[in-house]
Structures are given as C-alpha cells and as structure tokens.
Amino acid sequence: MSTAARPLFAFDDTFVRQLEGLYLAWQGAPAPDPRFLVLNRALAGELGLDADALDTPEGAAILAGATVPEGATPVAQAYAGHQFGGYSPRLGDGRALLLGELVDPDGRRRDLHLKGSGRTPFARGGDGRAAVGPMLREYVVSEAMHALEIPTTRSLAVVATGEDVVRETMLPGAVLARVAASHLRVGTFQYAARLGDPELVRRLADYAIARHHPHAAGAENPYLAFFASVVRAQAELVARWMLVGFVHGVMNTDNVTISGETIDYGPCAFMDAYDPATVFSSIDQAGRYAFGNQPPIMQWNLARLAEALVPLIDADQQAAVAAATEVLRSFQAHYGQAWGRGMAAKLGFVQPSDDDELANDLLALMHRGRVDHTAAFRALADLLRGDDAPARALFADGDGFDAWAERWRASLAAQDRDPAQAAEEMDRVNPVYVPRNHLVEEALAAATAGDLGPFEALVAVLQRPFAVRPGLERYAEAGPEEPGYRTFCGT
Ligand code: AMP
Ligand code: MG
C-alpha cells in the first residue's frame, strides 16, 4: 500500500494565471506554535476537504500561513480603496494571502484566504498580524450571517500562532482562514483602472463576469450588464443587512465585493435598540457608516465601480457615463423591492404592500421607544398567537402600539392570512438569536484568556438562529444599554 498522503488541498489558481499585475507572490511568516482554536468541520466537508487530515499539526501550520501547502502559489492581492471617503491608491493585502482556489464537489469555485499571516509588501505601517479576539469575531459573526441566509464569506478556521501581537496591550496572535466566492472588490477595479492599462481592466472585468455574473457575457453591452448585476447583488445584500439590524461598520470600497457577499467583519455589530443613527466603529466619528446610511453609502461605492468601468462601457465617454448613471439609479428600485419583500415577510404578509407606510410606522415606534430590533419581530408573532406579554414588555408607548397593531391585523385579514400560520412563517424569517454585542464580547474575552467554552457555545446557538430552544433564554435577551459601545477594525 502506498503511504504517500493525498495533499490536503487540490488548489486551482485562475486568479494568478489570468490577472498578472493584480498581486504579488508572497509567503506567510513563521508561527512558533500553530494550534487550532476552531475548525469548521462542516464547511471543510462542503469544500470537499478531509477535516480529520486538516485537524493536524500540518493542517494548523498551513492555515497559520507558516507552511506553504503542496501545489499552492500564495499571493497578496493588490487593490485600492476609498476609506471613509478618502482615496488610497494602493492598499492591498497588508496582512493577508490568497492561498488558492478550491472547487467544491458541486463545482463552486471558492478562494481560501488567510488573514493575519504576516507582513506583505502592502503592509505599510502595519505589523501584518491579527489578534485572537478580532479573528474569532469574524468567525462567529460571518458564520451567524450564513445561518441567517445572508450572502457572506465563510470562516474555515482560526489558528493561534503561539506568538503575541502588540496592540494596546500584548495579545495572543491568530490567523483566520476565510473562504469566499472570490476576493474581487470594488477596490480591485479602482486599482486596475488607475494603472492606466485599459486591457487589464478588461481582463479583470471578463474574469469577474465569468466567475460571478456569467449571464452578462451574452448581453448586448456585457460590461454595462455586469455593472447592473453587481448593483443588483449589492442592493439585495444591503437590504438583507437592514432587515436583521446588521451594521457593517467599515463600508470602504475595498470592503465591497463584486460577488455580492458580505466581507470583512471588523467593527461590525448587530443593533439592539432600533435607531438608524447607530454607529459602533470607534473611528467612524461622523457616522458615515451608520445603520441608516448603509443603502446610500453602498450606492456611492458602486459609483466608484462605475468610474472604473466607464472606458469599457462605451468608447464615447459621455454615452458611457449616461448609461452607467442610469444603471446606478436602479440601485434604489432593487433595494426598495428587496427590502419591501423582506419586510412584508417579517410582518407575516405573503404579498409585499404597495407602500412602506405600515412598516415605517412600526420602525418609528421602535425608534421612539428604543425597542430591541430582533425581539420586536418575534414579539409580533407571539401577539398573533394571542400572547401579548412580550410586545407589552417591549413597546412602552402602549396606545401608539395598539393602534398600529390594529392596522397590522386588519391588513393581514385583508390578505386572508390565518394568524397562526402567519406567526409560524414570521418565525422562519425573524431570528431569535443574533450575535449580540454583549455575548460576542463575553465570548472573545474568555477566549483571549484561554477559555473557548463561551465562544463554542455561542457559535452553536447561532447556527440555528430561527429555532427557539429552551435553556437559551439569555442568548435572546438584549444586553445592557451601552451608549458608548465601540468596536475596532483592523486589529
Ligand atoms: P481592513 O480594515 O481589515 O479592511 O484593512 C484595510 C487595509 O489595511 C488593508 O489593506 C489591510 O491589509 C491593511 N491592514 C489592516 N491591518 C493591518 C496590519 N495589522 N498589518 C498590515 N496591514 C494591515
Ligand atoms: Mg478590508
């Protein structure tokens, strides 16, 4: 019998072969003692990987970036980006590497990428490292988003490096192994466009079309159709965020994917009390990326993509700009439709209503009463089942709420909705468990101190966000109101 082990990964490398000029070949830094903090065995299985073979010292060294796996050509990807509105022509993976592409058993191609694997030529002043807490935060929140059926990058593993990193204090270092449809970003197009080689932008666009928006290839104007497809994907994505109270926190153009997946969980958080002005990021003092600003900011980011695509859309620049502008305007309609559909389902309707008045009046009540966003929609389903206690406990303004609830029931009746059935369907789209800030902080603090128990428990709860389970009451409760709650990115 042959003892030659099958390689852990069967990598492809279309990005490297087709997009020279958009990356630098690079390798990770050594790690003194790589150990798995968490390995997503289910995701490994989905990717066609052998989880047992991965769960070894060799697997940990590879996912820490310390060993280059057989058949891999790791690269640091180049990209530019508007960060908080200001343009940086050269960002790139300062502390990350694309290890390669995996084609899963269903034929889906996905990137395997490491974050925190050491300095690259794009590192600027950064140390190339990441601390355990922020990498576990990305793991738990991205996996929670996936369970909420929101398009997102996934987390395969977090590996402790055995080395401390210098932040405000010394913290244990770690590397996140991330899986994504790809790591093409709006910022990738901005970078290519600024290099002044129109053929490179075309190659990038052709690659992105083939990989993510293949129907655009057959359109009369493929590049315009491609732009329209990205606009639609991102409008639908942001609508999903808004429907669950997710604040991304750092919607720079380098953190906006071409695939339509949520990426880069830095200062992200779920809102407790409903307030469109909610901001968590310590560096977002102007509230640019506040909860309620997310749709217009996404549209602004997509305008930056349009600018990079103009030369491909039409040789006549004026005509290209006019066509791109019209497509950019479709963002609002796509967003409005996706939000309206989603909100109708959250309120138990089968048909989206012609206007958003009922939903907006509810949100206004929630805003005024600082009502917990996640709990409110579950309380409404309870109300339909005849239990008004949860709604009473949440909505202080009894009269305003009662009048609204009366209108809501009348609208459901007008659609011939059976209340019990509507309640059941609402519970399938309104999560009871989301990664609440106090739970995430508690889990990360314990993990940083060496106890992974609370983190593992939280990940397990969030895997089934719609199913109430006895004994998990504390995971459904709002945390203490913390007006000054802040999260940090890039750490
Ligand atoms: P992010 O906030 O994670 O989206 O990162 C924004 C940019 O800063 C990217 O170019 C990152 O690669 C870079 N970056 C963030 N943290 C570090 C670090 N510790 N070392 C090097 N580069 C970093
Ligand atoms: Mg980023």
Side-chain angles (χ1 to χ4, degrees):
M1 237 171 84
S2 161
T3 53
R6 194 164 68 93
L8 285 176
F9 305 97
F11 284 120
D12 197 0
D13 58 355
T14 60
F15 177 84
V16 168
R17 280 185 280 121
Q18 296 175 40
L19 293 171
E20 204 179 318
L22 295 181
Y23 60 82
L24 296 168
W26 201 253
Q27 292 186 8
D33 187 18
R35 279 168 205 265
F36 281 105
L37 296 177
V38 53
L39 171 62
N40 190 338
R41 299 180 74 94
L43 177 58
E46 249 180 69
L47 293 168
L49 304 174
D50 178 345
D52 290 327
L54 202 54
D55 198 358
T56 55
E58 184 203 356
I62 288 172
L63 295 182
T67 305
V68 179
E70 202 183 317
T73 42
V75 298
Q77 292 180 303
Y79 48 85
H82 275 90
Q83 300 183 303
F84 292 91
Y87 188 68
S88 293
R90 192 173 188 268
L91 290 168
D93 289 333
R95 55 166 172 171
L97 291 174
L98 171 64
L99 272 191
E101 298 152 26
L102 298 168
V103 180
D104 73 17
D106 295 332
R108 274 175 73 191
R109 177 178 300 273
R110 276 171 307 165
D111 281 3
L112 179 57
H113 170 106
L114 306 179
K115 180 155 152 185
S117 51
R119 300 191 78 233
T120 77
F122 298 109
R124 295 168 291 152
D127 64 357
R129 301 297 194 174
V132 161
M135 296 305 99
L136 289 177
R137 172 192 282 274
E138 173 152 345
Y139 187 104
V140 65
V141 183
S142 65
E143 288 303 302
M145 291 287 271
H146 175 69
L148 290 166
E149 296 163 27
I150 297 175
T152 177
T153 63
R154 304 286 308 275
S155 295
L156 178 62
V158 177
V159 179
T161 58
E163 196 163 66
D164 280 350
V165 298
V166 185
R167 295 294 180 259
E168 277 161 27
T169 56
M170 297 292 275
L171 293 170
V175 175
L176 170 78
R178 175 161 79 188
V179 172
S182 86
H183 285 79
L184 301 180
R185 309 144 191 264
V186 168
T188 316
F189 280 83
Q190 292 181 288
Y191 181 85
R194 288 283 179 112
L195 290 180
D197 173 2
E199 277 321 297
L200 180 60
V201 187
R202 187 179 302 274
R203 237 186 318 133
L204 173 59
D206 289 341
Y207 180 87
I209 288 171
R211 193 159 168 184
H212 300 301
H213 304 276
H215 62 275
E220 194 185 331
N221 186 332
Y223 302 110
L224 190 63
F226 163 62
F227 179 53
S229 189
V230 179
V231 166
R232 182 175 186 149
Q234 286 292 347
E236 291 177 353
L237 178 65
V238 176
R240 302 296 305 268
W241 295 353
M242 300 304 283
L243 291 164
V244 295
F246 175 74
V247 182
H248 182 282
V250 61
M251 290 173 68
N252 296 332
T253 58
D254 51 303
N255 291 339
V256 176
T257 59
I258 297 303
S259 66
E261 286 182 345
T262 311
I263 196 171
D264 261 354
Y265 294 86
C268 62
F270 279 72
M271 210 172 38
D272 290 314
Y274 178 79
D275 183 351
T278 303
V279 173
F280 295 109
S281 170
S282 60
I283 55 172
D284 191 4
Q285 266 135 23
R288 179 181 173 88
Y289 301 144
F291 177 73
N293 265 0
Q294 295 185 121
I297 280 291
M298 184 55 82
Q299 195 179 19
W300 188 92
N301 287 335
L302 292 165
R304 310 287 78 78
L305 175 62
E307 285 162 4
L309 293 173
V310 156
L312 301 184
I313 289 172
D314 199 313
D316 174 348
Q317 194 186 356
Q318 241 182 329
V321 170
T325 304
E326 196 184 316
V327 168
L328 187 63
R329 283 211 191 99
S330 74
F331 180 92
Q332 269 130 314
H334 288 310
Y335 174 78
Q337 275 158 23
W339 189 86
R341 265 197 319 271
M343 187 50 84
K346 284 176 84 68
L347 292 175
F349 296 105
V350 271
Q351 302 281 337
S353 72
D354 298 335
D355 63 65
D356 296 334
E357 204 181 301
L358 188 70
N360 284 332
D361 289 350
L362 174 67
L363 294 176
L365 280 172
M366 287 165 58
H367 186 191
R368 229 181 300 143
R370 298 200 61 73
V371 175
D372 186 84
H373 183 261
T374 304
F377 290 96
R378 297 293 295 209
L380 290 180
D382 290 335
L383 195 63
L384 288 187
R385 293 189 195 95
D387 177 6
D388 70 350
R392 286 272 163 267
L394 287 171
F395 290 88
D397 174 11
D399 291 339
F401 177 73
D402 287 348
W404 180 87
E406 200 64 26
R407 278 165 61 206
W408 173 50
R409 283 174 182 281
S411 303
L412 284 171
Q415 281 194 16
D416 279 331
R417 293 293 281 155
D418 168 51
Q421 196 186 341
E424 197 180 306
E425 289 171 20
M426 287 170 70
D427 282 353
R428 275 188 235 142
V429 294
N430 293 318
V432 61
Y433 309 115
V434 295
R436 291 179 181 273
N437 301 321
H438 67 287
L439 299 171
V440 173
E441 294 302 333
E442 171 193 280
L444 301 190
T448 301
D451 175 12
L452 282 163
F455 172 81
E456 286 164 356
L458 183 60
V459 169
V461 169
L462 296 173
Q463 250 161 27
R464 288 167 57 209
F466 302 106
V468 186
R469 277 100 81 202
L472 299 184
E473 290 73 16
R474 68 181 290 265
Y475 291 94
E477 283 162 13
E481 274 231 23
E482 287 180 80
Y485 180 73
R486 285 291 173 264
T487 52
F488 301 88
C489 61
T491 49

